Amino acid sequence: MKKFKKFYIETTSICNLACSFCPPTHRQAQFIKIEDFRKILDDIKPHTDYIYFHVKGEPLLHPKIDQLLDISHEKGFKVNITTNGTLLPKVRHKLLGKLALRQMNFSLHSFDGHEGSTDREGYLKSVLSFVREAVASSDLIVSFRLWNLTQDNETNLQCMRNRETLEIIEQEFNLDYRIEEKVMPGSGVRLAERIYLNQDHEFEWPDLRAPEDDGKGFCHALRNQAGILVDGTVIPCCLDGEGVINLGNVYQTPFSEIVEGERANRLYDGFSRREAVEELCRKCGYRKRFGGGA
């Protein structure tokens, strides 16, 4: 019985922003139904204790996100949510006090990634206000993400925009240093108890149109993570945002059978040999981060 540290359940394929770093999905726009969500949790219960409300889409858009959290707690899961945070003023009451909620990751780089963004200070104050209340009243872990660094980050416009964001955060937590002095790309810094910030280079989704490499390397797909898209499609990792590596559908076949199916085992065994057998995997730069060559 395969066990996963991370299990991604896409609760919606819809997003309220159009960020430059996140290609829009070509899949049908939909929200997961409550009865389907219950079925999925029952199906994956032997495989994981931690679920992530994310692949594509903005989880806070789901009109019944409070019910999804309640059901998760009822069935013994801890939940991580990755969000752009723009909808917090409308839904914070649906999140506060939810026992299932373990961690929230705020993609602060979405502000500059979305062309129509306005009022940086108002956006950040809203996020920080929620974090202040949530951390004080629960054991919630918070991670602020600025994943928009470039190779010439010291001199470009994005660096100046990030400084505006970081300055507001420094003031909020009464820091006596500039965050850039403490954090390195790909790593984080502790701002306060259970509150962190990490920076990294801009995220690139793997794309079948990208060039292939030699296919050597390792990945944790189907080892410590797996995912299910909102339509029930099982995927090997959180980077397969279009369901290219379609392992089966949980509304038709039990997850336990899907994850032991021929295609799933071929992918798993391939990475055991440090070899990417799927075309999408051979076009994924993240594989290089997981441990390099053969």
Side-chain angles (χ1 to χ4, degrees):
M1 181 69 70
K2 288 189 172 75
K3 295 281 286 188
F4 303 99
K5 294 179 181 178
K6 299 179 179 179
F7 205 109
Y8 297 85
I9 300 177
E10 185 184 65
T11 55
T12 179
S13 56
I14 307 166
C15 190
N16 62 317
L17 301 184
C19 295
S20 57
F21 55 81
C22 187
T25 180
H26 299 293
R27 296 179 285 116
Q28 179 182 350
Q30 62 186 112
F31 295 102
I32 198 166
K33 297 176 182 177
I34 293 296
E35 59 269 26
D36 290 339
F37 184 72
R38 283 185 180 275
K39 178 190 182 303
I40 287 173
L41 293 195
D42 288 338
D43 207 15
I44 69 172
K45 183 58 183 171
H47 297 276
T48 192
D49 297 316
Y50 298 96
I51 53 178
Y52 292 65
F53 286 3
H54 190 64
V55 178
K56 287 291 188 74
E58 167 52 53
L60 300 193
L61 265 178
H62 199 291
K64 297 180 179 179
I65 189 168
D66 49 346
Q67 292 184 43
L68 299 181
L69 288 168
D70 287 340
I71 294 167
S72 299
H73 177 65
E74 169 195 323
K75 295 187 177 294
F77 291 94
K78 289 295 185 181
V79 176
N80 290 24
I81 291 178
T82 297
T83 173
N84 57 50
T86 57
L87 299 175
L88 280 174
K90 296 180 179 179
V91 304
R92 61 186 291 156
H93 66 285
K94 295 184 177 183
L95 303 172
L96 291 169
K98 294 303 182 185
L99 296 176
L101 195 52
R102 173 186 175 270
Q103 179 169 332
M104 289 192 69
N105 307 312
F106 292 97
S107 299
L108 301 185
H109 48 280
S110 62
F111 182 87
D112 290 314
H114 177 68
E115 189 173 337
S117 294
T118 58
D119 189 13
R120 182 190 308 273
E121 184 173 0
Y123 161 66
L124 291 170
K125 292 294 186 184
S126 171
V127 172
L128 292 169
S129 170
F130 169 83
V131 167
R132 196 181 310 123
E133 183 173 356
V135 170
S137 60
S138 72
D139 294 326
L140 183 70
I141 300 167
V142 171
S143 174
F144 298 122
R145 294 175 173 178
L146 271 176
W147 290 0
N148 57 11
L149 300 180
T150 60
Q151 297 306 319
D152 61 343
N153 198 60
E154 288 73 24
T155 59
N156 70 2
L157 176 61
Q158 192 55 59
C159 180
M160 292 184 284
R161 290 171 172 167
N162 282 352
R163 176 90 295 270
E164 294 175 23
T165 293
L166 294 174
E167 187 171 331
I168 292 172
I169 293 173
E170 289 162 1
Q171 292 172 357
E172 169 71 17
F173 295 100
N174 297 313
L175 302 183
D176 59 0
Y177 58 86
R178 287 166 66 105
I179 289 174
E180 299 97 323
E181 299 170 0
K182 300 280 188 177
V183 65
M184 297 290 291
S187 66
V189 59
R190 180 181 177 274
L191 304 176
E193 184 72 24
R194 290 180 280 114
I195 303 176
Y196 305 87
L197 180 142
N198 65 77
Q199 290 195 269
D200 209 337
H201 293 97
E202 184 172 306
F203 183 94
E204 287 189 27
W205 290 87
D207 192 323
L208 288 176
R209 295 169 295 182
E212 286 192 23
D213 58 23
D214 61 8
K216 299 297 183 183
F218 179 75
C219 180
H220 292 289
L222 296 183
R223 290 178 190 271
N224 73 3
Q225 66 167 289
I228 299 175
L229 299 179
V230 68
D231 65 358
T233 300
V234 175
I235 53 176
C237 73
C238 63
L239 301 182
D240 187 3
E242 290 302 294
V244 172
I245 307 174
N246 183 342
L247 301 176
N249 193 292
V250 289
Y251 301 142
Q252 301 162 3
T253 308
F255 177 79
S256 295
E257 291 183 22
I258 292 173
V259 79
E260 294 293 350
E262 181 182 349
R263 189 172 188 180
N265 281 328
R266 191 167 64 244
L267 182 149
Y268 184 98
D269 294 342
F271 281 124
S272 295
R273 304 188 304 269
R274 301 300 192 266
E275 177 186 340
V277 300
E278 290 281 351
E279 180 183 1
L280 188 69
C281 299
R282 294 193 296 271
K283 298 179 176 183
C284 178
Y286 265 64
R287 174 167 41 84
K288 298 300 184 184
R289 300 188 180 195
F290 293 143

